């Protein structure tokens, strides 16, 4: 695995697990009587040999689970929260990689209004954080590492700042607690994308249900509709991969609720709250979340034990654009003793 440069060495001088063996790593994920107590006692549907998909009365989620023996030291699980317009399936590959490399159990929920989780007409970062806390309680997870990307990062930060005892360590990707001009502009573009797609769906006779999600995404010519939507979104979502993610999740995200709640794009005012646990901020060098030392100091007002990594050649979607470098930074941080 390629190095991301000297910055990582400066941040994490302690010994770390070897990441170069990702092709030979083996996963011990077969559920047995030794499974951990945070596995929820609810009906499950098997999706692969080592993955279980479950749904509580609130959030749907996927887990990679690691049984432990009496001689092993239990590690806190890792909970991954996807970005706006995403869903748990977008993180299955990364979740499995984290599980293989760290031997931690990994949980990946669908946020409300996304994927297989229930709808909500008034979504907010606070509400998403409450959902995450409730899911942890239901699964008897007393403490976890949180990793969130973009809006998912804000949900993770909100949880760490308001419920610090529940968080072991925190990884924030392409996000920060600052409501910068660029962050607010991205949210306005996202709302505009919701409006464009909502209008197209209505024009094609696809009116959202009371839950805010279109009941069926079947069209007489689905390819033609997707091409039309892609063209309509180009001026709003210039990044092709971002448009592809958005379109691939149509029918699984509540565009109506997201469109009608402008405050979802703002991080709540939590001045005076701090999370003193280890925290890692990861951003792409081409679209950095923080620009200068002043913004770093502002972030450290909330997270005094924060580390910062910029990955060269990556933009907003750093975890997919530079996956190996992203894993190198995040896994090293998760497995380093502070």
């Amino acid at each position: 695995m390629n190095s991301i440069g000297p910055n990582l060495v400066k941040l994490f001088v302690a010994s770390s697990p070897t990441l170069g063996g990702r092709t030979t790593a083996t996963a011990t994920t077969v559920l047995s009587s030794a499974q951990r107590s945070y596995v929820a006692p609810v009906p499950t549907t098997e999706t692969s040999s080592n993955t279980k998909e479950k749904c509580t009365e609130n959030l749907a989620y996927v887990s990679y689970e690691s049984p432990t023996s009496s001689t092993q030291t239990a590690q806190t699980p890792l909970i991954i929260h996807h970005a706006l317009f995403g869903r748990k399936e977008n993180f299955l590959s990364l979740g499995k990689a984290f599980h293989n490399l760290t031997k931690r159990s990994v949980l990946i929920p669908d946020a409300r209004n996304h994927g297989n989780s229930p709808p909500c007409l008034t979504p907010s970062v606070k509400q998403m954080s409450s959902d995450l806390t409730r899911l942890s309680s239901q699964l008897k997870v007393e403490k976890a590492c949180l990793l969130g990307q973009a809006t998912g990062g804000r949900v993770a930060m909100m949880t760490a700042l308001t419920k610090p005892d529940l968080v072991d360590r925190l990884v924030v990707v392409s996000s920060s607690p600052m409501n910068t001009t660029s962050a607010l502009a991205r949210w306005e573009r996202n709302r505009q994308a919701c409006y464009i797609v909502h209008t197209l769906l209505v024009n094609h006779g696809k009116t959202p249900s009371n839950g805010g999600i279109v009941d069926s995404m079947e069209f007489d010519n689905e390819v033609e509709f997707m091409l039309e939507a892609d063209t309509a979104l180009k001026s709003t979502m210039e990044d092709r991969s971002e448009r592809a993610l958005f379109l691939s999740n149509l029918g699984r995200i509540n565009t109506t609720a997201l469109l009608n709640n402008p405050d979802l794009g703002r991080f709540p005012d939590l001045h005076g709250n701090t999370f003193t646990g280890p925290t890692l901020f990861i951003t792409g060098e081409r679209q950095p979340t923080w620009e200068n030392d002043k913004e770093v100091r502002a972030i450290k007002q909330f997270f005094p034990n924060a580390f910062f990594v910029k990955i060269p050649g990556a933009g907003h979607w750093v975890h997919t654009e530079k996956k190996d470098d992203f894993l190198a930074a995040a896994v090293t941080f998760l497995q380093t003793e502070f």
Side-chain angles (χ1 to χ4, degrees):
M1 181 175 290
N2 296 328
S3 168
I4 67 169
N7 289 339
L8 190 61
V9 177
K10 292 178 182 178
L11 292 180
F12 309 120
V13 295
S15 60
S16 61
T18 300
L19 302 182
R22 54 194 168 90
T23 57
T24 59
T26 58
T28 55
T29 56
V30 178
L31 294 180
S32 69
S33 59
Q35 66 189 30
R36 291 195 181 183
S37 60
Y38 55 79
V39 178
V42 295
T44 65
T45 301
E46 191 165 346
T47 57
S48 73
S49 61
N50 63 349
T51 310
K52 297 282 183 178
E53 181 171 352
K54 314 175 186 70
C55 185
T56 69
E57 62 181 10
N58 290 302
L59 301 184
Y61 66 98
V62 165
S63 68
Y64 294 90
E65 299 159 4
S66 294
T68 58
S69 69
S70 59
T71 59
Q72 289 178 306
T73 301
Q75 296 190 93
T76 52
L78 171 66
I79 302 178
I80 300 176
H81 201 293
H82 61 73
L84 199 67
F85 307 139
R87 51 191 169 116
K88 59 185 179 301
E89 286 79 8
N90 301 136
F91 275 88
L92 291 183
S93 176
L94 270 176
K96 187 173 183 179
F98 276 116
H99 173 70
N100 288 344
L101 292 167
T102 68
K103 300 300 182 279
R104 294 176 185 266
S105 291
V106 177
L107 297 170
I108 313 172
D110 277 329
R112 209 173 280 265
N113 290 317
H114 295 73
N116 297 323
S117 287
C120 172
L121 296 180
T122 56
S124 66
V125 172
K126 182 179 180 180
Q127 172 257 313
M128 292 182 181
S129 174
S130 295
D131 280 344
L132 198 62
T133 301
R134 189 178 302 110
L135 178 67
S136 297
S137 176
Q138 289 170 335
L139 300 181
K140 295 181 173 55
V141 176
E142 296 181 358
K143 202 163 198 173
C145 299
L146 300 185
L147 183 152
Q149 195 260 332
T151 299
R154 291 192 159 194
V155 174
M157 286 187 287
M158 178 82 180
T159 306
L161 289 170
T162 57
K163 303 287 186 181
D165 292 342
L166 301 180
V167 182
D168 182 9
R169 54 186 72 189
L170 178 67
V171 181
V172 181
V173 186
S174 299
S175 188
S176 87
M178 300 182 299
N179 294 311
T180 61
T181 301
S182 60
L184 295 176
R186 171 175 284 277
W187 168 242
E188 286 305 316
R189 291 195 299 272
N190 288 338
R191 292 188 70 222
Q192 186 176 354
C194 287
Y195 177 77
I196 290 170
V197 169
H198 177 81
T199 302
L200 285 174
L201 289 171
V202 171
N203 290 342
H204 282 264
K206 300 293 183 180
T207 304
S209 65
N210 291 334
I213 298 177
V214 175
D215 291 330
S216 173
M217 287 300 295
E218 294 181 1
F219 296 88
D220 292 337
N221 192 330
E222 184 176 348
V223 173
E224 182 178 321
F225 173 80
M226 287 299 184
L227 288 174
E228 181 183 358
D230 184 70
T231 300
L233 288 169
K234 281 184 177 178
S235 60
T236 301
M237 287 184 169
E238 298 180 0
D239 187 292
R240 184 171 59 181
S241 61
E242 188 171 8
R243 290 198 309 275
L245 174 68
F246 181 68
L247 292 172
S248 70
N249 289 323
L250 281 183
R252 293 181 175 271
I253 54 176
N254 188 340
T255 55
T256 304
L258 300 179
L259 180 62
N260 293 334
N261 289 275
D263 288 341
L264 183 58
R266 287 183 172 273
F267 191 73
D269 184 359
L270 292 175
H271 284 88
N273 293 49
T274 58
F275 174 68
T276 58
T279 303
L280 175 64
F281 285 85
I282 303 178
T283 192
E285 197 173 49
R286 291 192 292 105
Q287 290 180 278
T289 306
W290 65 89
E291 296 285 353
N292 49 51
D293 288 344
K294 180 180 178 181
E295 293 185 356
V296 168
R297 288 194 296 271
I299 294 173
K300 288 177 78 71
Q301 291 292 315
F302 295 98
F303 304 98
N305 291 320
F307 302 92
F308 298 82
V309 170
K310 284 185 179 179
I311 296 184
H316 182 72
W317 305 98
V318 57
H319 62 293
T320 58
E321 296 170 9
K322 294 291 182 179
K323 180 179 177 180
D324 285 356
D325 292 348
F326 171 78
L327 280 170
V331 170
T332 301
F333 170 77
L334 289 170
Q335 301 307 103
T336 295
E337 293 187 10
F338 291 97

